[in-house]
Amino acid sequence: MKFKLGELFCGPGGLAYGAMKAKIDNEEFGIIHQWATDYDRSTCDTYIHNICPQHPETVICEDVRKLDIDSLPPIDALAFGFPCNDYSLVGEQKGINGTYGPLYTYGVKALKSHRPMWFLAENVGGIRSANEGKAFEMILSELEQAGYKIYPHLYKFEQYGVPQARHRVIIIGIRKDLPYEYKVPSSEPYKDIDVSVRTALENPPIPADAPNHELTKQSAIVVERLKHIKPGENAWTAELPEHLRLNVQGAKLSQIYKRLDPDKPAYTVTGSGGGGTHIYHYAEPRALTNRERARLQTFPDDFVFIGSKESVRRQIGMAVPCKGAQVIFEAVLKTFAGIPYESVPCNLLE
């Protein structure tokens, strides 16, 4: 069974790449691209270039609110990492009341229209507490009412071979009329994988001519400030001379000018943010290149991101790590193939 995958809010292709790489012992089972949609042109171009270069027409670049979901080709599986802006703990957390909060309903609409055998929905951990937890309860309820057994779990991707502390709520749904029960894959088989930043960025070294590997221009004061910040420290915890301190009132985000600790997984790669939020190298006084950020998201070096440097930064930060996605998709394939695997109970707690 080759599951035809449709994607809403497809991003640059982290989920799709993980889906296409997903392999199990029973080679009859796999996942193939059917269609994808996103509203951003550069993001769609990146997806086309890497996922379906022979079939650019299968990627629809349109606002989901204007999309004719019913007319899309039939699918066996649906993936949607619906926009997290209104659920992120970093933002205002408007939840269901924000501009982006209600966009999950288009995933529900696609499920009702196309009746795929299973789905994967993804969002930030903060979704659990938005609107005092009511938003998440409502989303789970609507997914279930669409006709699916649901399996929500907080995945800590650094436990699954990803060199980054990235915690995401992922909901797997299996159609209620099907006799399959999904189980969350255990992280035990991945416990010996080195997820340190140093290994991720240096082994093997990134080729000098790798795509998206341009350095960010750093001002002299930023370079000087970074020289005073040790690996693992940030602008608040480092002992900075008076003229290099930040004059900021109120919230002091721990990620500001934070240098990576080479012996630990990276902190979460984000898609936006102003000065001091670019993720900083442990050995050199500079921000990471987009290619280095892509490595932390487990994209291969030949995965080319298309668009301006800021657009590429956003695409990488919004993506699901390819290797994390692959682990989950392989568990789904094993579920349908009847292949047992190590599992843990669903858990939404930190």
Side-chain angles (χ1 to χ4, degrees), residues 219-247:
S219 68
I221 193 166
V222 167
V223 172
E224 191 183 352
R225 182 180 292 128
L226 288 169
K227 285 179 178 175
H228 283 84
I229 299 173
K230 299 187 183 80
E233 289 185 340
N234 62 42
W236 316 113
T237 57
E239 292 183 22
L240 294 177
E242 189 72 40
H243 71 288
L244 295 176
R245 290 179 194 163
L246 299 179
N247 183 20

mmCIF file of all heavy atoms in Angstrom, residues 219-247:
data_model
loop_
_atom_site.group_PDB
_atom_site.id
_atom_site.type_symbol
_atom_site.label_atom_id
_atom_site.label_comp_id
_atom_site.label_asym_id
_atom_site.label_seq_id
_atom_site.Cartn_x
_atom_site.Cartn_y
_atom_site.Cartn_z
ATOM 1 N N SER A 219 27.367 43.261 12.903
ATOM 2 C CA SER A 219 27.975 44.557 13.226
ATOM 3 C C SER A 219 29.128 44.332 14.198
ATOM 4 O O SER A 219 29.190 43.318 14.903
ATOM 5 C CB SER A 219 26.939 45.483 13.859
ATOM 6 O OG SER A 219 26.556 44.998 15.138
ATOM 7 N N ALA A 220 30.023 45.291 14.253
ATOM 8 C CA ALA A 220 31.214 45.168 15.112
ATOM 9 C C ALA A 220 30.821 44.987 16.569
ATOM 10 O O ALA A 220 31.433 44.206 17.306
ATOM 11 C CB ALA A 220 32.105 46.401 14.937
ATOM 12 N N ILE A 221 29.750 45.680 17.006
ATOM 13 C CA ILE A 221 29.366 45.581 18.423
ATOM 14 C C ILE A 221 28.790 44.204 18.749
ATOM 15 O O ILE A 221 29.013 43.657 19.834
ATOM 16 C CB ILE A 221 28.384 46.719 18.817
ATOM 17 C CG1 ILE A 221 28.259 46.777 20.346
ATOM 18 C CG2 ILE A 221 27.009 46.533 18.184
ATOM 19 C CD1 ILE A 221 27.611 48.039 20.867
ATOM 20 N N VAL A 222 28.076 43.602 17.796
ATOM 21 C CA VAL A 222 27.548 42.253 18.011
ATOM 22 C C VAL A 222 28.691 41.245 18.107
ATOM 23 O O VAL A 222 28.708 40.380 18.985
ATOM 24 C CB VAL A 222 26.559 41.852 16.893
ATOM 25 C CG1 VAL A 222 26.255 40.352 16.940
ATOM 26 C CG2 VAL A 222 25.263 42.647 17.025
ATOM 27 N N VAL A 223 29.678 41.376 17.213
ATOM 28 C CA VAL A 223 30.847 40.488 17.254
ATOM 29 C C VAL A 223 31.559 40.627 18.603
ATOM 30 O O VAL A 223 31.902 39.631 19.250
ATOM 31 C CB VAL A 223 31.812 40.802 16.092
ATOM 32 C CG1 VAL A 223 33.115 40.013 16.258
ATOM 33 C CG2 VAL A 223 31.165 40.458 14.748
ATOM 34 N N GLU A 224 31.723 41.870 19.042
ATOM 35 C CA GLU A 224 32.405 42.118 20.320
ATOM 36 C C GLU A 224 31.587 41.515 21.473
ATOM 37 O O GLU A 224 32.137 40.882 22.386
ATOM 38 C CB GLU A 224 32.584 43.630 20.529
ATOM 39 C CG GLU A 224 33.517 43.950 21.686
ATOM 40 C CD GLU A 224 33.652 45.453 21.939
ATOM 41 O OE1 GLU A 224 33.143 46.266 21.133
ATOM 42 O OE2 GLU A 224 34.250 45.792 22.974
ATOM 43 N N ARG A 225 30.272 41.705 21.416
ATOM 44 C CA ARG A 225 29.403 41.166 22.483
ATOM 45 C C ARG A 225 29.507 39.635 22.530
ATOM 46 O O ARG A 225 29.651 39.038 23.594
ATOM 47 C CB ARG A 225 27.957 41.585 22.226
ATOM 48 C CG ARG A 225 26.984 41.106 23.295
ATOM 49 C CD ARG A 225 25.563 41.553 23.004
ATOM 50 N NE ARG A 225 25.422 42.987 23.143
ATOM 51 C CZ ARG A 225 24.910 43.801 22.225
ATOM 52 N NH1 ARG A 225 24.485 43.305 21.069
ATOM 53 N NH2 ARG A 225 24.804 45.089 22.439
ATOM 54 N N LEU A 226 29.458 39.013 21.357
ATOM 55 C CA LEU A 226 29.507 37.546 21.316
ATOM 56 C C LEU A 226 30.831 37.005 21.858
ATOM 57 O O LEU A 226 30.866 35.922 22.444
ATOM 58 C CB LEU A 226 29.277 37.056 19.880
ATOM 59 C CG LEU A 226 27.833 37.206 19.357
ATOM 60 C CD1 LEU A 226 27.772 36.940 17.862
ATOM 61 C CD2 LEU A 226 26.878 36.281 20.103
ATOM 62 N N LYS A 227 31.888 37.753 21.671
ATOM 63 C CA LYS A 227 33.197 37.307 22.182
ATOM 64 C C LYS A 227 33.211 37.229 23.708
ATOM 65 O O LYS A 227 34.022 36.519 24.294
ATOM 66 C CB LYS A 227 34.305 38.239 21.684
ATOM 67 C CG LYS A 227 34.650 38.014 20.213
ATOM 68 C CD LYS A 227 35.727 38.966 19.744
ATOM 69 C CE LYS A 227 36.106 38.684 18.281
ATOM 70 N NZ LYS A 227 37.066 39.688 17.763
ATOM 71 N N HIS A 228 32.304 37.978 24.345
ATOM 72 C CA HIS A 228 32.225 37.956 25.811
ATOM 73 C C HIS A 228 31.221 36.919 26.326
ATOM 74 O O HIS A 228 31.111 36.705 27.531
ATOM 75 C CB HIS A 228 31.814 39.342 26.342
ATOM 76 C CG HIS A 228 32.931 40.341 26.335
ATOM 77 N ND1 HIS A 228 33.263 41.066 25.210
ATOM 78 C CD2 HIS A 228 33.794 40.727 27.317
ATOM 79 C CE1 HIS A 228 34.262 41.874 25.493
ATOM 80 N NE2 HIS A 228 34.605 41.686 26.764
ATOM 81 N N ILE A 229 30.478 36.306 25.415
ATOM 82 C CA ILE A 229 29.457 35.323 25.807
ATOM 83 C C ILE A 229 30.007 33.916 25.556
ATOM 84 O O ILE A 229 30.383 33.579 24.441
ATOM 85 C CB ILE A 229 28.154 35.543 25.010
ATOM 86 C CG1 ILE A 229 27.582 36.945 25.302
ATOM 87 C CG2 ILE A 229 27.118 34.473 25.353
ATOM 88 C CD1 ILE A 229 26.381 37.327 24.438
ATOM 89 N N LYS A 230 30.066 33.124 26.601
ATOM 90 C CA LYS A 230 30.615 31.759 26.458
ATOM 91 C C LYS A 230 29.545 30.830 25.890
ATOM 92 O O LYS A 230 28.354 31.118 25.978
ATOM 93 C CB LYS A 230 31.074 31.234 27.825
ATOM 94 C CG LYS A 230 32.183 32.055 28.492
ATOM 95 C CD LYS A 230 32.651 31.339 29.749
ATOM 96 C CE LYS A 230 33.714 32.156 30.489
ATOM 97 N NZ LYS A 230 33.127 33.238 31.318
ATOM 98 N N PRO A 231 29.957 29.677 25.316
ATOM 99 C CA PRO A 231 28.980 28.699 24.838
ATOM 100 C C PRO A 231 27.968 28.356 25.934
ATOM 101 O O PRO A 231 28.349 28.103 27.078
ATOM 102 C CB PRO A 231 29.842 27.490 24.477
ATOM 103 C CG PRO A 231 31.157 28.081 24.100
ATOM 104 C CD PRO A 231 31.340 29.257 25.019
ATOM 105 N N GLY A 232 26.686 28.371 25.573
ATOM 106 C CA GLY A 232 25.625 28.081 26.537
ATOM 107 C C GLY A 232 25.117 29.298 27.285
ATOM 108 O O GLY A 232 24.068 29.242 27.912
ATOM 109 N N GLU A 233 25.847 30.424 27.215
ATOM 110 C CA GLU A 233 25.403 31.648 27.887
ATOM 111 C C GLU A 233 24.599 32.519 26.923
ATOM 112 O O GLU A 233 24.663 32.351 25.704
ATOM 113 C CB GLU A 233 26.609 32.455 28.385
ATOM 114 C CG GLU A 233 27.340 31.842 29.552
ATOM 115 C CD GLU A 233 28.450 32.752 30.077
ATOM 116 O OE1 GLU A 233 28.913 33.663 29.348
ATOM 117 O OE2 GLU A 233 28.865 32.540 31.232
ATOM 118 N N ASN A 234 23.866 33.480 27.503
ATOM 119 C CA ASN A 234 23.158 34.461 26.687
ATOM 120 C C ASN A 234 23.497 35.874 27.158
ATOM 121 O O ASN A 234 24.336 36.050 28.053
ATOM 122 C CB ASN A 234 21.643 34.208 26.715
ATOM 123 C CG ASN A 234 21.053 34.339 28.111
ATOM 124 O OD1 ASN A 234 21.389 35.233 28.880
ATOM 125 N ND2 ASN A 234 20.160 33.425 28.461
ATOM 126 N N ALA A 235 22.830 36.863 26.577
ATOM 127 C CA ALA A 235 23.164 38.259 26.879
ATOM 128 C C ALA A 235 22.911 38.618 28.339
ATOM 129 O O ALA A 235 23.456 39.598 28.841
ATOM 130 C CB ALA A 235 22.367 39.188 25.964
ATOM 131 N N TRP A 236 22.085 37.836 29.038
ATOM 132 C CA TRP A 236 21.769 38.162 30.430
ATOM 133 C C TRP A 236 22.673 37.421 31.409
ATOM 134 O O TRP A 236 22.929 37.923 32.513
ATOM 135 C CB TRP A 236 20.306 37.824 30.737
ATOM 136 C CG TRP A 236 19.363 38.261 29.655
ATOM 137 C CD1 TRP A 236 18.617 37.472 28.833
ATOM 138 C CD2 TRP A 236 19.086 39.606 29.240
ATOM 139 N NE1 TRP A 236 17.897 38.220 27.940
ATOM 140 C CE2 TRP A 236 18.168 39.543 28.167
ATOM 141 C CE3 TRP A 236 19.537 40.859 29.670
ATOM 142 C CZ2 TRP A 236 17.688 40.672 27.526
ATOM 143 C CZ3 TRP A 236 19.054 41.999 29.030
ATOM 144 C CH2 TRP A 236 18.138 41.903 27.981
ATOM 145 N N THR A 237 23.098 36.224 31.031
ATOM 146 C CA THR A 237 23.881 35.415 31.973
ATOM 147 C C THR A 237 25.377 35.643 31.829
ATOM 148 O O THR A 237 26.148 35.285 32.715
ATOM 149 C CB THR A 237 23.584 33.913 31.785
ATOM 150 O OG1 THR A 237 23.851 33.553 30.419
ATOM 151 C CG2 THR A 237 22.133 33.592 32.090
ATOM 152 N N ALA A 238 25.788 36.234 30.725
ATOM 153 C CA ALA A 238 27.225 36.484 30.519
ATOM 154 C C ALA A 238 27.657 37.752 31.269
ATOM 155 O O ALA A 238 26.850 38.644 31.533
ATOM 156 C CB ALA A 238 27.509 36.646 29.028
ATOM 157 N N GLU A 239 28.932 37.804 31.608
ATOM 158 C CA GLU A 239 29.476 39.021 32.241
ATOM 159 C C GLU A 239 29.930 39.969 31.139
ATOM 160 O O GLU A 239 31.032 39.851 30.603
ATOM 161 C CB GLU A 239 30.641 38.651 33.165
ATOM 162 C CG GLU A 239 30.205 37.869 34.392
ATOM 163 C CD GLU A 239 31.372 37.587 35.329
ATOM 164 O OE1 GLU A 239 32.386 38.322 35.262
ATOM 165 O OE2 GLU A 239 31.266 36.631 36.113
ATOM 166 N N LEU A 240 29.039 40.903 30.793
ATOM 167 C CA LEU A 240 29.330 41.827 29.693
ATOM 168 C C LEU A 240 29.790 43.172 30.229
ATOM 169 O O LEU A 240 29.251 43.665 31.234
ATOM 170 C CB LEU A 240 28.068 42.051 28.846
ATOM 171 C CG LEU A 240 27.521 40.851 28.067
ATOM 172 C CD1 LEU A 240 26.228 41.238 27.350
ATOM 173 C CD2 LEU A 240 28.546 40.371 27.045
ATOM 174 N N PRO A 241 30.779 43.780 29.566
ATOM 175 C CA PRO A 241 31.147 45.161 29.917
ATOM 176 C C PRO A 241 29.932 46.077 29.731
ATOM 177 O O PRO A 241 29.025 45.777 28.944
ATOM 178 C CB PRO A 241 32.243 45.507 28.903
ATOM 179 C CG PRO A 241 32.701 44.209 28.337
ATOM 180 C CD PRO A 241 31.562 43.259 28.462
ATOM 181 N N GLU A 242 29.924 47.186 30.463
ATOM 182 C CA GLU A 242 28.779 48.110 30.451
ATOM 183 C C GLU A 242 28.316 48.469 29.046
ATOM 184 O O GLU A 242 27.117 48.430 28.728
ATOM 185 C CB GLU A 242 29.170 49.395 31.212
ATOM 186 C CG GLU A 242 28.013 50.349 31.454
ATOM 187 C CD GLU A 242 27.022 49.850 32.505
ATOM 188 O OE1 GLU A 242 27.463 49.275 33.526
ATOM 189 O OE2 GLU A 242 25.817 50.017 32.257
ATOM 190 N N HIS A 243 29.249 48.778 28.146
ATOM 191 C CA HIS A 243 28.863 49.280 26.821
ATOM 192 C C HIS A 243 28.286 48.193 25.907
ATOM 193 O O HIS A 243 27.734 48.487 24.850
ATOM 194 C CB HIS A 243 30.058 49.968 26.130
ATOM 195 C CG HIS A 243 31.128 49.032 25.675
ATOM 196 N ND1 HIS A 243 31.981 48.379 26.539
ATOM 197 C CD2 HIS A 243 31.480 48.611 24.420
ATOM 198 C CE1 HIS A 243 32.820 47.617 25.864
ATOM 199 N NE2 HIS A 243 32.541 47.735 24.571
ATOM 200 N N LEU A 244 28.377 46.911 26.337
ATOM 201 C CA LEU A 244 27.847 45.822 25.517
ATOM 202 C C LEU A 244 26.539 45.257 26.065
ATOM 203 O O LEU A 244 25.922 44.393 25.440
ATOM 204 C CB LEU A 244 28.880 44.688 25.423
ATOM 205 C CG LEU A 244 30.184 45.029 24.686
ATOM 206 C CD1 LEU A 244 31.149 43.854 24.754
ATOM 207 C CD2 LEU A 244 29.911 45.411 23.242
ATOM 208 N N ARG A 245 26.105 45.768 27.220
ATOM 209 C CA ARG A 245 24.868 45.256 27.815
ATOM 210 C C ARG A 245 23.662 45.756 27.026
ATOM 211 O O ARG A 245 23.699 46.830 26.423
ATOM 212 C CB ARG A 245 24.763 45.683 29.280
ATOM 213 C CG ARG A 245 25.781 44.952 30.148
ATOM 214 C CD ARG A 245 25.705 45.387 31.591
ATOM 215 N NE ARG A 245 26.901 44.928 32.308
ATOM 216 C CZ ARG A 245 27.308 45.410 33.478
ATOM 217 N NH1 ARG A 245 26.614 46.373 34.064
ATOM 218 N NH2 ARG A 245 28.398 44.947 34.048
ATOM 219 N N LEU A 246 22.595 44.977 27.081
ATOM 220 C CA LEU A 246 21.378 45.357 26.371
ATOM 221 C C LEU A 246 20.500 46.207 27.282
ATOM 222 O O LEU A 246 20.289 45.874 28.449
ATOM 223 C CB LEU A 246 20.595 44.107 25.942
ATOM 224 C CG LEU A 246 21.328 43.149 24.997
ATOM 225 C CD1 LEU A 246 20.436 41.963 24.683
ATOM 226 C CD2 LEU A 246 21.719 43.847 23.708
ATOM 227 N N ASN A 247 20.002 47.291 26.723
ATOM 228 C CA ASN A 247 19.122 48.178 27.481
ATOM 229 C C ASN A 247 17.675 47.770 27.214
ATOM 230 O O ASN A 247 16.996 48.340 26.365
ATOM 231 C CB ASN A 247 19.368 49.634 27.069
ATOM 232 C CG ASN A 247 18.528 50.593 27.887
ATOM 233 O OD1 ASN A 247 18.061 50.243 28.968
ATOM 234 N ND2 ASN A 247 18.325 51.791 27.382
#
